[in-house]
């Protein structure tokens, strides 16, 4: 039935994946709009249940995967190239970083750069820290960097590395299911593989829709502050419509003409905003703070990585850490495939070092500039920003900028940056969802990419109607859990394939269980193909 329908519509897609994912997403929208209060209550209960019983799993798995990636880059597998051995990187390093940054966490940094440090400054999650003090400021920066530093990029880097390896090194389709070939074999081309790709596709749609929703809330606040646009659902729906239209135009232009140019332009605009705050704000305090914050982050990273509130019995992590990990995990298929597409030719060591190290350094600078400049207003200038942030986190950036010279101009520029970040995220996601839903030998059709872009915008609008920020948090905490489990199995599957490749075995041998077990000392077993 699916095959006949795909033929009738002229789709270049795997019908079982395309129609299953599209059907579930459309059904969600159809049920959520007329029953928005019931929808919000249901996902509130499911989100609380997920955090209560599996919050520890989110924390443990992400920290464990960070350790795995660092070990992998430093191991004997670090020299393996993601593509032919004689082929270098497809994109220059600066362009590569701009594209992965813009598609990865550009929107998140704009939303939380001021809001998160101030939130923890006003309400420290640690029992022995007094709100509004210097100690609260230090801890607020530590927690913000923990949320957006190495752990966030671990979630993006692992699937990106695995996809690039299995696509460019092993010749498999660029889909999430391909990663599991060493353990599933040819079953990735059947119902089991389709199920994995449907989960990844839906996670992408909902994860990016949450980002569009959060960005829309922030844009509404910014437009209200700059132009007096009223704050409300009508304004927010109109913003989603505009973003969706711009993203549709960009996705129709393709990767190099649309997304690449938007990414390069926007990274420059974001740097201008950051440098303005750095120079116009407490420059010496911020510059000195960058060095100290990096040191504090590295010093406190071990205990923060495994902190689960076990002795406090509170639910702070549900709204913060677990929400971030679930949100980022829901982005993992999209960002993973997108980064894989632009990373051909790099070695595993280069890839992991670049995808973890460069974003970390930028994140430290970004959060220090905005976070310390905001807390300087609180600690030294007598400005009460925290009350406004606690009332509405989406207004934090623009309230903060209102205390700077040329505030209207820099606020307008910030609005442009947010719009382009959101557009880049939406069109990149549509491009990736299209990849997930078709075979590599099927040509991408503009109409299909446009369909996914429009559906993403529709989901974002539905989530906003269904309860705003709390609904966004609860839905994503629930949606991210299945893929969190898949991430752990991804690491095992990638290592199993690298081991087989190192010994001269094929993927089919690995799937059939013919490869000797890994030697923890790193030596080749005597019965490997190289010794036979």
């Amino acid at each position: 039935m699916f095959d006949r329908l795909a033929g009738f519509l002229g789709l270049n897609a795997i019908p079982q994946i395309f129609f299953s994912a599209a059907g579930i997403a459309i059904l969600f929208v159809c049920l959520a709009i007329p029953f928005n209060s019931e929808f919000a209550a249901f996902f509130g209960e499911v989100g609380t249940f997920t955090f209560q019983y599996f919050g520890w799993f989110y924390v443990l798995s992400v920290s464990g995967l960070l350790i795995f990636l660092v070990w992998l880059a430093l191991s004997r597998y670090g020299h393996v190239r993601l593509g032919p051995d004689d082929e270098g990187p497809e994109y220059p390093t600066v362009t590569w970083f701009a594209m992965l940054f813009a598609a990865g966490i550009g929107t998140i940094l704009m939303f939380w750069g001021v809001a998160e440090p101030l939130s923890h400054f006003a309400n420290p999650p640690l029992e022995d820290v007094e709100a509004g003090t210097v100690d609260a400021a230090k801890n607020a920066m530590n927690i913000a960097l923990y949320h957006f530093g190495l752990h966030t990029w671990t979630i993006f880097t692992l699937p990106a590395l695995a996809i690039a390896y299995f696509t460019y090194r092993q010749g498999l389709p660029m889909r999430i299911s391909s990663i599991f070939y060493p353990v599933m074999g040819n079953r990735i081309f059947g119902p089991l593989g389709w199920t994995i790709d449907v989960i990844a596709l839906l996670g992408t749609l909902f994860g990016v829709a949450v980002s569009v929703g959060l960005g829309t809330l922030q844009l509404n606040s910014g437009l209200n502050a700059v132009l007096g646009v009223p704050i409300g659902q009508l304004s927010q729906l109109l913003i989603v419509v505009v973003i969706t239209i711009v993203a549709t135009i960009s996705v129709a232009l393709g990767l190099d003409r649309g997304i690449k140019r938007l990414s390069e332009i926007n990274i420059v605009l974001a740097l201008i905003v950051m440098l303005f705050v750095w120079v116009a704000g407490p420059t010496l305090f911020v510059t000195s703070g960058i060095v100290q914050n990096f040191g504090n982050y590295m010093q406190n990273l071990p205990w923060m990585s495994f902190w689960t509130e076990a002795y406090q019995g509170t639910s702070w992590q549900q709204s913060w850490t677990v929400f971030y990990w679930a949100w980022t995990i829901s982005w993992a298929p999209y960002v993973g495939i997108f980064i894989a597409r632009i990373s051909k030719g790099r070695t595993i060591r280069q890839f992991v070092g670049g995808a973890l190290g460069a974003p970390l350094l930028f994140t430290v600078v970004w959060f220090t500039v905005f976070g310390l400049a905001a807390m300087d207003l609180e600690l030294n200038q007598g400005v009460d920003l925290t009350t406004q942030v606690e009332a509405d986190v989406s207004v934090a950036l623009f309230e903060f900028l209102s205390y700077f010279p040329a505030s209207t101009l820099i606020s307008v520029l910030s609005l442009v940056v947010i719009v382009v970040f959101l557009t880049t995220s939406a069109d990149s996601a549509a491009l990736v969802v299209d990849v997930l839903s078709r075979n590599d030998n099927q040509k991408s059709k503009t109409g299909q990419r446009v369909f996914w872009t429009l559906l993403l915008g529709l989901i974002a609008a539905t989530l906003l109607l269904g309860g705003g920020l709390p609904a966004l948090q609860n839905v994503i905490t629930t949606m991210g859990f299945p893929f969190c489990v898949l991430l752990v199995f991804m690491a095992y599957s990638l290592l199993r394939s690298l081991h087989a490749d190192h010994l001269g075995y094929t993927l089919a041998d690995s799937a059939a269980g013919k490869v000797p077990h890994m030697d923890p000392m790193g030596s080749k077993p005597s019965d490997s193909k190289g010794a036979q």
Side-chain angles (χ1 to χ4, degrees), residues 284-306:
L284 181 59
F285 178 43
V286 167
T287 305
S288 179
I290 290 172
V291 179
Q292 183 166 334
N293 285 342
F294 180 78
N296 288 342
Y297 167 71
M298 298 305 295
Q299 179 183 0
N300 289 282
L301 186 62
W303 74 261
M304 287 192 298
S305 297
F306 298 96

Side-chain angles (χ1 to χ4, degrees), residues 293 315-316 375 455 481:
N293 285 342
S315 58
W316 177 88
M375 285 187 278
L455 184 56
F481 183 72

Side-chain angles (χ1 to χ4, degrees), residues 49-264:
F49 174 85
T50 303
F51 165 74
Q52 183 176 353
Y53 290 98
F54 298 105
W56 63 269
F57 182 76
Y58 275 112
V59 173
L60 178 62
S61 59
V62 176
S63 296
L65 292 174
L66 170 58
I67 296 171
F68 169 76
L69 282 174
V70 173
W71 170 82
L72 193 65
L74 298 176
S75 73
R76 63 190 179 192
Y77 306 120
H79 73 280
V80 174
R81 192 170 294 278
L82 304 175
D85 289 332
D86 59 348
E87 186 173 312
E90 184 177 2
Y91 290 98
T93 300
V94 174
T95 300
W96 178 63
F97 175 62
M99 293 172 73
L100 69 89
F101 168 77
I105 61 171
T107 306
I108 302 174
L109 294 186
M110 291 299 295
F111 190 92
W112 293 112
V114 173
E116 170 143 6
L118 280 183
S119 296
H120 305 324
F121 176 72
N123 297 288
L126 302 180
E127 294 177 333
D128 57 345
V129 177
E130 183 181 350
T133 63
V134 172
D135 284 341
K138 292 178 182 177
N139 279 277
M141 293 307 306
N142 282 337
I143 293 168
L145 294 178
Y146 165 52
H147 285 156
F148 295 103
L150 291 173
H151 283 72
T152 284
W153 284 93
T154 289
I155 297 170
F156 293 152
T157 301
L158 176 63
L161 173 61
I163 293 164
Y165 173 79
F166 284 104
T167 300
Y168 300 131
R169 191 80 181 180
Q170 300 293 348
L172 289 173
M174 187 173 278
R175 296 202 301 275
I176 299 298
S177 57
S178 296
I179 300 172
F180 300 94
Y181 189 93
V183 294
M184 292 173 56
N186 288 327
R187 286 178 294 175
I188 67 167
F189 301 110
L192 284 176
W194 298 334
T195 300
I196 291 173
D197 289 325
V198 168
I199 292 172
L201 197 157
L202 289 172
T204 298
L205 284 176
F206 281 87
V208 178
V210 166
S211 293
V212 172
L214 288 174
T216 297
L217 294 175
Q218 189 179 34
L219 279 173
N220 196 181
S221 297
L223 289 170
N224 175 261
V226 177
L227 301 175
V229 174
I231 295 177
Q233 287 188 337
L234 178 59
S235 298
Q236 292 160 10
L237 291 177
L238 290 175
I239 291 170
V240 170
V241 170
V242 172
I243 291 170
T244 304
I245 291 172
V246 176
T248 300
I249 296 171
S250 177
V251 81
L253 292 174
L255 178 62
D256 288 324
R257 288 189 297 165
I259 299 170
K260 178 183 174 182
R261 290 180 182 176
L262 280 176
S263 299
E264 292 175 335

